[in-house]
Amino acid sequence: MGQTMVEKIVSRQVGRKVSAGEKIERLPITKLFFNDVIGPPAIEGFRANFTEVFERYGTAPRVFDPKRLYFLPDHSVPAFTIQIAEGVKLMKEFARETGAKMYKEGDGIEHVVLIEDGQIVPWDIVLGTDSHTDTNGALGTLAFGVGTTDSLYAMATGHLYDFMVPESVKFELTGTLPKGVFSKDIILHIIGVMGAGGCSKRVAEFTGPGVRSLPMDARTTICNMAVEMSARTGIMAYDDVVADFLQGRAQWPVEPIDSDPDADYAQVVTIDLSSLEPIVAFPHKPANTTPISRLQDMIARSQREPTPDFCTIDDDIITDAFLGSCTNARYEDLVAGAAIMRGHQVHPEVNLIVIPASRKVYQRAMQEGLLQVFIEAGANVESSNCGPCFGSHMGVMSSKAKMISSSNRNYKGRMGSPEARIFLASPATVIASAIEGRITDPRKYL
Amino acid sequence: MITGNVTSIYGKDINTDDIIPASFLQQSNDRKFFKDYAFDRYDPAFRERCKQTTANIVIGGENFACGSSREQAVYAIQENNVVCVIAQSYPDIFYRNSLSNGLVLITLPDTSSFQIGDELRVDLDTYSIENVTQGTTLRFEMTPDDCDTFKQGGMIGRVRNHLAELLQASK
């Protein structure tokens, strides 16, 4: 029996052949990163739990490997409270003490910057203190979001404890995407089919000719949202697109990876990309999806049979739009948005916020005139951070707000008031909707 | 033996944003802080119900505490004197975070029989839940390893020993 990529990566790390279902008491990891939300409490926890052990051995506190440890202030920067500023300062001091890499406010979002900088390579086992760490799986890595405790243990010893090797679900993508349909629509469609818990305890492996035809940015969008069907993580094989992306960029040795043809899967799901159209997820969960052609039917259904996580929607009017986040604010996303925005204005009743995912994306978008398109159309363009997706700054929503967002979560209260409504869609759909002030099929602009 | 009363019953796909909204996360590094903001935008009455009872048990549906990896969700529940959660399933991140903090998570395929106010006795040695109020007993499954970790309140002892091993080896 062959192995999945997950089984192969774990096998290499532990030095023996393992299969799904096995428990690994100590799994060595290869990369670890922290954001400004979990970094500060994790540093405090690291000191509280391990200082005595270091003292016992007469060594200064040290991390498992400073070259493999990164701190990225991205969620709430530039800081807007003293507590947040203190947290970022603590990360800076700790990084200086331990030799770890500290990024600056505005360098960008964790799941974008490390990939962009060539820090993530196939065969890595990556831990990040954010559930969207699954994004990194697009490079053939095994990437897990972890909480404070797992992360501070890993910072000390470089291990994840009591790890159960997960099974994989194979998503076989065939055909090619029609015009105006994007990778965001693929993953929203898949989440809608699988449900919010549909991939629980399993890794979502995305494969097939439909994946191989997608550029790198589009792939990360798909892996990013694997967690929205509760997948353990998302993963994709190494191929020519990954090879080209890592050429001249990778800071670590690059080695191909793929699952064996006879690997064992818990489930196989085939998706014909040519049958897809733009998808919109209704409040309050990403699995509430509808093809945009059936938008009015979905609105009617929300009025007929609302539930706590599928609330009543009066109409297709929107008041806010967000093009940003670790899901959809990379270069290609801004290109797709700007292609629709060009020559149009943001609707007078809509607040459009555009946040490039990293400083490098920002600079390229500026040089190529993309930011100018958004700014001249009346958008607010902000420096790189997680923005309104985290619900704490740069566009917190009022009780009457109706947002269409390129981000990954539309939970009740996620972006501000619990009365606000959040729809999820592709960057193209977000911008088309920002122009019209109502949820709009982007294909009419192409 | 864990004893307590059912004071909250939730449906499926409760997420960790429901349990503790993001805007509170960076206000404190002290786990006790999150007590006063548990379920702030989803069910603010949760905290008041928890105050009425010394040991609270939360009932959930499928996929309880999905979404964000924020461990503050565990603190927010635990600091409200919740001794145990019983749900149909949990995503892995929350399960791991709960193991790390000794918040006991019980998995039952059907949680529909529980009513608010039920007095429960959860026995991690016999893998059984006695519903004293209803006079019934339910069995649950849990690996012995997870059971030990829940009982020990996490794995910090093992991790400290591992760090000591690594420091010894590098001497």
Side-chain angles (χ1 to χ4, degrees):
Chain A
M1 179 60 73
Q3 289 187 299
T4 62
M5 281 185 273
V6 177
E7 291 166 326
K8 286 184 184 186
I9 293 171
V10 176
S11 295
R12 177 182 284 192
Q13 283 300 100
V14 299
R16 63 182 171 82
K17 192 171 180 179
V18 304
S19 305
E22 270 185 64
K23 184 169 176 176
I24 310 295
E25 202 186 329
R26 294 171 174 180
L27 176 67
I29 62 146
T30 63
K31 306 282 164 59
L32 172 65
F33 63 87
F34 290 87
N35 52 42
D36 51 313
V37 182
I38 301 300
I43 291 166
E44 287 189 358
F46 176 88
R47 287 173 172 164
N49 284 297
F50 301 120
T51 299
E52 180 270 330
V53 184
F54 289 115
E55 280 172 356
R56 211 186 323 147
Y57 286 85
T59 60
R62 63 188 197 201
V63 297
F64 77 107
D65 186 346
K67 290 190 174 58
R68 298 171 184 274
L69 175 61
Y70 315 87
F71 290 92
L72 302 105
D74 60 357
H75 275 63
S76 305
V77 295
F80 56 90
T81 68
I82 294 168
Q83 288 100 324
I84 291 164
E86 296 289 349
V88 173
K89 180 180 70 119
L90 180 62
M91 287 163 66
K92 284 180 184 167
E93 288 168 353
F94 187 79
R96 200 178 305 127
E97 279 166 33
T98 57
K101 167 80 176 168
M102 176 77 194
Y103 282 90
K104 281 178 69 178
E105 299 93 328
D107 282 345
I109 306 173
E110 49 194 340
H111 313 304
V112 177
V113 173
L114 294 178
I115 290 175
E116 199 174 62
D117 281 2
Q119 293 295 345
I120 307 296
V121 293
W123 292 91
D124 264 333
I125 296 186
V126 180
L127 300 187
T129 59
D130 187 284
S131 58
H132 294 109
T133 301
D134 58 355
T135 314
N136 296 278
L139 288 156
T141 77
L142 191 52
F144 298 114
V146 292
T148 315
T149 304
D150 275 338
S151 70
L152 72 94
Y153 291 173
M155 186 149 67
T157 70
H159 286 74
L160 183 64
Y161 296 87
D162 291 350
F163 174 75
M164 193 71 78
V165 182
E167 294 180 305
S168 297
V169 175
K170 183 197 258 191
F171 292 92
E172 175 88 20
L173 276 47
T174 63
T176 49
L177 280 174
K179 200 174 181 189
V181 186
F182 298 86
S183 69
K184 178 62 160 289
D185 301 306
I186 301 174
I187 188 63
L188 284 175
H189 171 75
I190 290 174
I191 293 163
V193 169
M194 299 296 288
C199 213
S200 188
K201 306 206 187 308
R202 292 165 175 169
V203 172
E205 179 182 326
F206 302 98
T207 185
V211 171
R212 287 191 285 279
S213 66
L214 293 174
M216 204 62 235
D217 286 0
R219 296 181 185 198
T220 54
T221 300
I222 292 177
C223 284
N224 176 272
M225 289 192 72
V227 70
E228 307 316 333
M229 50 182 172
S230 295
R232 198 73 186 80
T233 188
I235 196 166
M236 291 175 176
Y238 176 92
D239 65 2
D240 290 347
V241 171
V242 178
D244 287 348
F245 180 80
L246 290 172
Q247 182 66 41
R249 181 191 305 266
Q251 301 297 308
W252 302 84
V254 175
E255 237 183 295
I257 186 166
D258 200 350
S259 293
D260 292 326
D262 58 344
D264 200 17
Y265 291 92
Q267 191 182 349
V268 178
V269 180
T270 303
I271 311 282
D272 176 10
L273 301 189
S274 64
S275 71
L276 298 184
E277 57 172 291
I279 307 283
V280 177
F282 271 49
H284 297 294
K285 69 183 184 189
N288 295 341
T289 59
T290 180
I292 202 158
S293 63
R294 294 209 285 273
L295 191 77
Q296 297 304 330
D297 297 342
M298 188 73 161
I299 291 171
R301 185 153 81 81
S302 78
Q303 296 166 358
R304 213 167 48 238
E305 44 194 63
T307 66
D309 51 17
F310 176 55
C311 65
T312 300
I313 299 297
D314 298 330
D315 51 40
D316 57 5
I317 301 289
I318 55 127
T319 60
D320 293 76
F322 175 43
L323 173 52
S325 87
C326 57
T327 314
N328 270 134
R330 295 173 185 79
Y331 172 71
E332 288 167 12
D333 301 316
L334 299 187
V335 169
I340 291 174
M341 187 93 266
R342 197 170 278 119
H344 299 278
Q345 288 291 307
V346 176
H347 189 275
E349 300 296 324
V350 172
N351 176 30
L352 170 63
I353 297 168
V354 177
I355 305 188
S358 74
R359 195 184 300 281
K360 285 175 184 165
V361 171
Y362 193 112
Q363 285 172 344
R364 186 173 177 190
M366 183 178 66
Q367 284 153 7
E368 297 187 10
L370 303 178
L371 296 189
Q372 196 175 353
V373 171
F374 293 118
I375 291 166
E376 287 180 354
N380 294 306
V381 178
E382 309 290 352
S383 68
S384 293
N385 66 81
C386 299
C389 178
F390 192 54
S392 59
H393 73 148
M394 287 199 177
V396 176
M397 292 164 61
S398 75
S399 57
K400 298 288 181 202
K402 287 182 242 175
M403 159 73 89
I404 188 158
S405 174
S406 72
S407 59
N408 43 44
R409 288 193 174 133
N410 55 349
Y411 299 154
K412 187 176 185 180
R414 169 82 177 178
M415 296 187 181
S417 168
E419 304 308 316
R421 309 290 196 232
I422 308 167
F423 299 87
L424 303 178
S426 76
T429 305
V430 166
I431 296 302
S433 304
I435 293 168
E436 302 214 357
R438 56 179 66 234
I439 299 170
T440 300
D441 189 332
R443 290 174 295 185
K444 66 186 277 194
Y445 285 90
L446 297 172
Chain B
M1 179 76 77
I2 300 165
T3 58
N5 291 81
V6 174
T7 52
S8 295
I9 299 177
Y10 295 112
K12 69 174 188 172
D13 299 329
I14 293 292
N15 62 65
T16 53
D17 277 75
D18 294 334
I19 298 170
I20 183 77
S23 55
F24 300 110
L25 300 180
Q26 285 165 288
Q27 293 188 21
S28 176
N29 293 339
D30 178 4
R31 53 180 293 145
K32 291 188 179 60
F33 172 85
F34 302 100
K35 175 181 181 176
D36 294 338
Y37 305 100
F39 289 96
D40 201 63
R41 290 178 198 163
Y42 191 83
D43 175 26
F46 168 82
R47 297 168 322 234
E48 200 45 51
R49 291 197 302 275
C50 287
K51 275 185 201 155
Q52 311 298 324
T53 309
T54 48
N56 296 275
I57 292 175
V58 171
I59 306 295
E62 289 169 22
N63 209 29
F64 182 81
C66 62
S68 163
S69 53
R70 59 191 68 169
E71 197 164 311
Q72 290 90 338
V74 177
Y75 314 152
I77 293 173
Q78 224 171 7
E79 293 295 329
N80 276 287
N81 300 322
V82 172
V83 291
C84 168
V85 178
I86 302 172
Q88 287 164 266
S89 62
Y90 309 89
D92 300 79
I93 300 177
F94 181 76
Y95 194 84
R96 290 191 64 90
N97 288 345
S98 297
L99 272 175
S100 295
N101 289 280
L103 173 63
V104 175
L105 301 186
I106 307 288
T107 308
L108 275 184
D110 182 1
T111 52
S112 61
S113 66
F114 296 105
Q115 303 290 326
I116 293 286
D118 281 0
E119 182 188 342
L120 307 184
R121 299 161 143 262
V122 179
D123 190 339
L124 293 180
D125 294 319
T126 60
Y127 303 106
S128 65
I129 303 168
E130 185 191 351
N131 189 328
V132 179
T133 308
Q134 297 189 20
T136 54
T137 301
L138 300 160
R139 305 256 160 223
F140 62 88
E141 288 181 20
M142 184 184 285
T143 68
D145 287 358
D146 285 359
C147 190
D148 285 345
T149 308
F150 280 129
K151 282 183 189 168
Q152 288 161 21
M155 56 187 88
I156 181 62
R158 282 167 51 201
V159 178
R160 276 209 197 101
N161 290 341
H162 186 202
L163 178 62
E165 271 174 44
L166 295 169
L167 293 173
Q168 180 69 35
S170 68
K171 265 203 159 177

